[in-house]
Amino acid sequence: MKKITIGEAARQSGVKVPTVRYYESIGLLAAPSRSEGNQRSFEPADISRLAFIRHARELGFEIDAIRTLLTLQDDPHQSCASADAIAKARLVEVEQRIRSLMALKAELEIMVEGCGHGRVDQCRVIEVLADHGQCMHPHH
Amino acid sequence: MKKITIGEAARQSGVKVPTVRYYESIGLLAAPSRSEGNQRSFEPADISRLAFIRHARELGFEIDAIRTLLTLQDDPHQSCASADAIAKARLVEVEQRIRSLMALKAELEIMVEGCGHGRVDQCRVIEVLADHGQCMHPHH
DNA sequence: CCTACATCCTCTAGCGACTAGAGGTGCAAG
DNA sequence: CTTGCACCTCTAGTCGCTAGAGGATGTAGG
């Protein structure tokens, strides 16, 4: 059993060193054993767990949701209904966010296209910001 | 000249009362004059400014970008090149974010569709999270 | 004029999810 | 043995607000 340092764990999982310590501090990752000199010594399982967390974070899951997903992973005999519900909720969020960003994109495009590159008093960017009534889409 | 209270300013601009005070504290809004009893008394121009800020925030501009946009608005004889650049940068960001969210949506859909609603050890949600190699899209 | 009540004031602390930095210790190579 | 990197703990900062305490002011009704 070779010891995995925090740096090594970070490299292999793609989670930064301070973030690994942070995850430990909030109880997302069990505190690993320590070397003689008080340095953390991780197991391969910890690296998988970190990679799991990282992937879930990249998908935009909140720490609390990840906490739930991890307890599910820890006990594979449970029903996966909660995992399913969490993922579905996230999907709805993402779809909502995409729709809102599309509307936003449209508005930004109007602003940018309308800019005559002259002085501010003819600039559509400033004008549209100042007067919401000029928006095409009632997205907000 | 009737006095506009902070509550009235908030109502008219759509910015919440504590947020108005916050904007004043960070210098985004000039400190208004005060009544005898030390209460803020806003001008109509302040309300336009607040509405401008609100709209820009809704479009996802950061406070620092808004600060720049506001100085441009304050001096309409400047070139609008910076406003244009800020809006364009924001547009690029938004487009990038949309692309990444679309990839993410696809991945979440695979997870959710693959869930057989059985036990966790057969659940695609947990499985995909644990193994990034199963992602279809190399978006992250 | 008095009372009730909404609204205002300042100040501090908290949110999420880290990130940065200070000040110190451990460890492997040259 | 010394250099230099990686590690340790701890605190404080980031962003853009938001919540709450504890008190002052303004207004409408009786």
Side-chain angles (χ1 to χ4, degrees):
Chain A
M1 46 170 82
K2 52 178 182 278
K3 58 190 167 190
I4 303 173
T5 65
I6 196 169
E8 197 45 38
R11 228 163 292 122
Q12 285 182 36
S13 65
V15 176
K16 289 186 205 149
V17 169
T19 307
V20 174
R21 285 196 278 253
Y22 170 69
Y23 287 159
E24 183 190 325
S25 81
I26 61 168
L28 216 53
L29 191 69
S33 57
R34 299 289 183 122
S35 75
E36 295 246 335
N38 196 34
Q39 303 203 340
R40 287 172 182 80
S41 180
F42 293 90
E43 312 284 319
D46 295 322
I47 291 171
S48 309
R49 197 173 175 93
L50 281 169
F52 184 104
I53 297 170
R54 181 186 161 222
H55 194 192
R57 286 296 299 136
E58 280 169 349
L59 290 172
F61 289 97
E62 292 177 3
I63 296 287
D64 260 10
I66 296 174
R67 214 182 281 277
T68 305
L69 291 170
L70 282 168
T71 64
L72 292 173
Q73 197 194 28
D74 290 343
D75 182 0
H77 295 288
Q78 289 182 65
S79 150
C80 73
S82 350
D84 189 42
I86 291 172
K88 273 199 179 118
R90 178 71 194 135
L91 182 56
V92 168
E93 268 173 44
V94 167
E95 281 166 347
Q96 178 57 53
R97 190 97 186 92
I98 289 172
R99 266 195 300 280
S100 127
L101 282 173
M102 299 281 262
L104 212 143
K105 174 172 180 292
E107 193 172 344
L108 285 167
E109 273 166 351
I110 290 165
M111 283 168 59
V112 169
E113 276 163 28
C115 174
H117 307 282
R119 280 172 304 124
V120 166
D121 49 7
Q122 294 148 357
C123 184
R124 195 115 171 83
V125 173
I126 301 286
E127 196 185 330
V128 172
L129 282 171
D131 182 6
H132 190 183
Q134 296 194 19
C135 295
M136 312 258 81
H137 305 272
H139 58 85
H140 48 256
Chain B
M1 44 169 83
K2 53 177 181 279
K3 59 190 163 187
I4 304 173
T5 65
I6 195 170
E8 196 46 39
R11 229 163 289 125
Q12 285 182 37
S13 65
V15 176
K16 289 186 205 150
V17 168
T19 307
V20 174
R21 284 195 279 252
Y22 170 69
Y23 287 159
E24 182 190 325
S25 80
I26 61 167
L28 215 54
L29 191 69
S33 57
R34 299 290 183 121
S35 75
E36 295 246 333
N38 196 35
Q39 303 203 341
R40 286 172 182 80
S41 180
F42 293 91
E43 312 282 319
D46 295 322
I47 291 171
S48 310
R49 197 172 175 96
L50 282 168
F52 184 104
I53 297 169
R54 182 187 159 219
H55 194 192
R57 285 296 297 137
E58 281 169 349
L59 290 171
F61 289 98
E62 290 176 5
I63 295 287
D64 260 10
I66 296 174
R67 215 182 282 276
T68 305
L69 291 169
L70 281 167
T71 65
L72 292 173
Q73 195 194 30
D74 291 344
D75 183 0
H77 296 286
Q78 288 182 64
S79 151
C80 74
S82 349
D84 190 40
I86 290 172
K88 273 200 180 115
R90 178 70 195 135
L91 182 55
V92 168
E93 266 173 47
V94 167
E95 281 165 348
Q96 179 56 55
R97 190 95 186 95
I98 288 172
R99 267 194 300 280
S100 127
L101 282 174
M102 299 281 262
L104 211 143
K105 175 173 180 294
E107 194 172 343
L108 284 168
E109 273 165 351
I110 290 163
M111 282 169 61
V112 169
E113 276 163 28
C115 173
H117 307 283
R119 281 173 301 125
V120 165
D121 49 9
Q122 294 148 359
C123 185
R124 196 114 171 82
V125 173
I126 301 287
E127 195 185 332
V128 173
L129 282 171
D131 182 7
H132 191 182
Q134 295 194 19
C135 295
M136 311 258 82
H137 305 272
H139 59 87
H140 47 256

